[in-house]
Amino acid sequence: MPKTDVILTNNVVGLGAESDHVKVAAGYARNYLFPQGLAIPLTSANKRQIEALKKRRVDREAKELQTMSELGTALSKLTLVLTVKTGEDGKMFGSVTAGQIADELRHQFDAHVDKRKIHLVHPIKHIGDYEAELHLHHDVTVTLKIKVNSSTPLSPEVQAAIAAQHAHAKAKEGKEEVKEEKGGGKDRRGKAAEGKGAKAGEGRKSPRPEKAEKAEKGEKPERPEKSEKGGEKKAKAPKA
């Protein structure tokens, strides 16, 4: 299938943003991109228009960053309250999803956040207090506080049990984080000790080549013979 070079004039999902130079199927450009005003052909006559598209893109991205930063600052100071159906023991029928959180953000605060940008730190299957990470922009991530209440009146005993369960979960999470930090320290100390051991091994002298060779053959190293007076014996000449 023949390809053609085009310059995008708008964001096209899966293809690129305005001012991007992309290669697409000629039929796709002719039948969809050009009629919809999403792209223009790549020609020398379009250079001035390409520069204008680049400037528009920079302005748009700067505005998006500012908008998401302001939205993130506002949401980080709020608490989203959700009311769900539960049994008498406080257990929910199902769990709270990112889609439900997005809907409630729109209804309660008129904040439009794509559900794909909502990441739950822990699954929400019980009433209580939770947190969700909002990845509003590649440079903007904030934490949203969430309070989940039950539409069914709960006894004080059940409420106390749920509060104790949440406290235990938080304490366990804190211990795991401490273990991870200590484990990282051990790894660093282990690597340092390993490095010192390597250096100490490098400092040791290797055995002399001759002795090492004889040791491998199982031979004993030769020693100079000494006379009774402590001097070295002279080698006798062989008899004729």
Side-chain angles (χ1 to χ4, degrees), residues 107-197:
H107 293 153
Q108 295 184 30
F109 308 124
D110 195 25
H112 297 268
V113 179
D114 191 331
K115 66 180 182 180
R116 292 172 295 182
K117 297 182 178 181
I118 301 173
H119 300 266
L120 295 173
V121 179
H122 300 289
I124 301 178
K125 297 182 179 180
H126 304 276
I127 64 173
D129 298 326
Y130 296 88
E131 291 182 347
E133 289 184 354
L134 306 183
H135 297 184
L136 303 176
H137 188 273
H138 59 80
D139 288 330
V140 180
T141 299
V142 299
T143 300
L144 173 69
K145 296 181 181 65
I146 301 174
K147 187 175 184 61
V148 182
N149 294 329
S150 173
S151 59
T152 303
L154 302 177
S155 64
E157 292 79 6
V158 172
Q159 294 180 11
I162 293 173
Q165 184 179 1
H166 276 277
H168 176 71
K170 288 184 179 180
K172 185 178 180 181
E173 182 183 348
K175 289 181 180 179
E176 289 178 354
E177 290 179 356
V178 171
K179 284 183 180 179
E180 288 179 0
E181 291 178 0
K182 288 183 177 179
K186 287 182 179 179
D187 290 343
R188 289 192 291 271
R189 289 195 295 271
K191 288 181 180 178
E194 185 180 344
K196 288 181 180 179

Side-chain angles (χ1 to χ4, degrees), residues 208-222:
R208 293 181 182 178
E210 294 180 1
K211 289 185 177 181
E213 185 176 354
K214 288 184 177 181
E216 290 177 0
K217 294 179 180 179
E219 299 178 1
K220 293 183 178 180
E222 295 181 357

